[in-house]
Amino acid sequence: MRVPLVQTGMGWVAGPRLVAATCEAGGLGILASATMTLDQLAQAIAEVRSRTAAPFGVNLRTDVADVHERIALMIETGARVASFAQAPNPALVARCKEAGLFVMPTVGARRHAEKVADWGVDAVIAQGAEGGGHTGSIPTTLLLPQVVDAVGDRVLVLGAGGFFSGRGLVAALAYGAAGVAMGTRFLLSAESRVPDAVKALYLGTPVTGTVVTTKVDGAPQRVVRTDLVDHLESQSWLRSLPRAVRSAYQFRKETGASLSSLLREGRAMKEGNELTWSQVVMAANAPVMTKAALVEGRTDVGVLPTGQVVGVLESLPPVADIIDAVMSEANEVLRGWSA
Ligand SMILES: Cc1cc2nc3c(=O)[nH]c(=O)nc-3n(C[C@H](O)[C@H](O)[C@H](O)COP(=O)(O)O)c2cc1C
């Protein structure tokens, strides 16, 4: 990497074009594999490889039945960085480390950072509450220094949640981070695969236009506040469950998983993440509802994960311009200080 900027693995968004563009511009691009089958991941990795020789990463879910095959594929194809949406487990970290992968889970609380640091990860992305998608409740301004103090002597710490500018990068460096990871900023770029009409909806969202809901899949997730989200918020759990069961079935059908692997995954997820069974059932709802909006452009029936930073973004620049602008502003601030 020539610049300390990471483009995070966003489901249905971070495809080969976005990843390769980030890597070519000197940052680290991460492919989103949570919404891909193993075959689709193999194709996506091959496409990244055909577009760039730079190192890149893959974002993985730890609770999928074929996580070991995905890691084997990464090792075979030379994808260097394993990013994890939820905390992995010690055995998975050990497997990745043995194979020489750089392991970088995302965490939303200091105790999670401490736990994964004890397992020997190389870096953590500390994502504050303002971040997009699944997110915790501690703002970046408090989480980042907490995580740096707790594990910064052992692992690299990157800040995430609300970053979009050079000033933000310098702030993160001042907190002791090694760089920043950005999701929403890269979602709203020329190279992200989201349909233009959906990008326009994001651009029209004000900084107050997002909400954290647990009604999509049971875990807190920051999304654009739409009529659908208001409707979901007003529904009881009992009424949400049948929809979640249908989504679970549809998602597993699309990704080719069998009922037994679905149940195995559900059990691993329940145990690994201390979830209730109703939360497990809800979990497959997120990819389906996100796909409806981000791939099919059906924003009336789908959800739009986003960081609060969406409210300050006004255009869809090419990735290289985003990276250049962040780096020149950061350098300008630093030059101003040293003067
Ligand atoms: C549309 C969207 C999809 C996301 N999907 C994933 C995912 O599949 N895996 C993951 O680890 N994080 C996911 N995230 C979280 C981002 O990777 C990133 O950590 C977050 O967006 C950072 O906050 P920011 O949006 O303020 O930059 C997603 C975020 C968005 C906006």
Side-chain angles (χ1 to χ4, degrees):
M1 292 165 70
R2 298 192 302 276
V3 298
L5 301 177
V6 172
Q7 162 260 305
T8 60
M10 293 169 280
W12 306 120
V13 176
R17 205 159 78 103
L18 181 60
V19 170
T22 308
C23 296
E24 282 294 286
L28 178 76
I30 299 180
L31 263 177
S33 93
T35 46
M36 292 178 187
T37 62
L38 188 61
D39 283 350
Q40 286 167 342
L41 176 60
Q43 277 168 27
I45 289 178
E47 193 181 333
V48 175
R49 271 275 155 268
S50 73
R51 288 171 180 264
T52 181
F56 63 97
V58 175
N59 179 254
L60 300 157
R61 280 177 67 129
T62 50
D63 50 19
V64 289
D66 61 2
V67 64
H68 286 284
E69 280 144 281
R70 287 175 189 244
I71 290 170
L73 177 69
M74 288 177 64
I75 297 164
E76 256 166 52
T77 53
R80 297 288 309 281
V81 178
S83 136
F84 290 96
Q86 318 105 320
N89 54 57
L92 219 49
V93 173
R95 165 102 203 275
C96 292
K97 296 285 303 170
E98 267 163 38
L101 299 182
F102 186 90
V103 183
M104 182 169 68
T106 298
V107 296
R110 178 175 57 187
R111 68 176 192 287
H112 294 157
E114 287 167 344
K115 186 170 72 176
V116 296
D118 288 346
W119 296 343
V121 304
D122 299 285
V124 292
I125 297 181
Q127 176 174 327
E130 53 270 68
H134 291 111
T135 203
S137 57
I138 309 157
T140 305
T141 47
L142 303 179
L143 179 72
L144 191 49
Q146 257 194 329
V147 170
V148 167
D149 287 346
V151 301
D153 56 339
R154 290 186 280 165
V155 302
L156 281 184
V157 179
L158 294 160
F163 291 104
F164 67 101
S165 65
R167 285 172 295 166
L169 171 59
V170 174
L173 298 178
Y175 281 126
V180 299
M182 300 186 285
T184 308
R185 174 64 285 187
F186 286 112
L187 182 156
L188 292 174
S189 67
E191 288 91 344
S192 98
R193 50 179 280 198
V194 175
D196 286 346
V198 178
K199 286 182 181 172
L201 197 149
Y202 272 108
L203 285 179
T205 304
V207 82
T208 50
T210 76
V211 65
V212 175
T213 178
T214 54
K215 287 295 176 68
V216 177
D217 64 1
Q221 179 167 195
R222 187 176 292 285
V223 297
V224 176
R225 185 173 174 181
T226 57
D227 290 346
L228 172 74
V229 173
D230 280 342
H231 173 69
L232 294 177
E233 281 286 289
S234 67
Q235 265 190 345
S236 71
W237 279 103
L238 218 53
R239 296 193 62 174
S240 317
L241 276 178
R243 178 174 41 79
V245 173
R246 278 197 304 278
S247 293
Y249 179 70
Q250 189 187 334
F251 182 63
R252 300 307 157 183
K253 208 167 70 177
E254 279 178 23
T255 53
S258 66
L259 185 64
S260 60
S261 76
L262 191 147
L263 287 172
R264 204 167 47 239
E265 236 174 69
R267 184 174 295 279
M269 194 169 167
K270 183 175 186 307
E271 283 158 12
N273 300 302
E274 293 161 17
L275 302 178
T276 63
W277 273 113
S278 61
Q279 283 173 311
V280 173
V281 174
M282 292 287 288
N285 213 28
V288 172
M289 294 189 78
T290 320
K291 183 183 181 199
L294 295 184
V295 180
E296 294 152 13
R298 294 161 63 203
T299 52
D300 53 333
V301 293
V303 291
L304 299 150
T306 184
Q308 285 182 297
V309 66
V310 72
V312 301
L313 302 177
E314 289 170 351
S315 60
L316 304 168
V319 163
D321 291 3
I322 293 175
I323 289 183
D324 279 353
V326 169
M327 293 314 296
S328 10
E329 191 182 63
N331 284 322
E332 207 178 298
V333 172
L334 292 173
R335 266 197 306 273
W337 282 353
S338 58

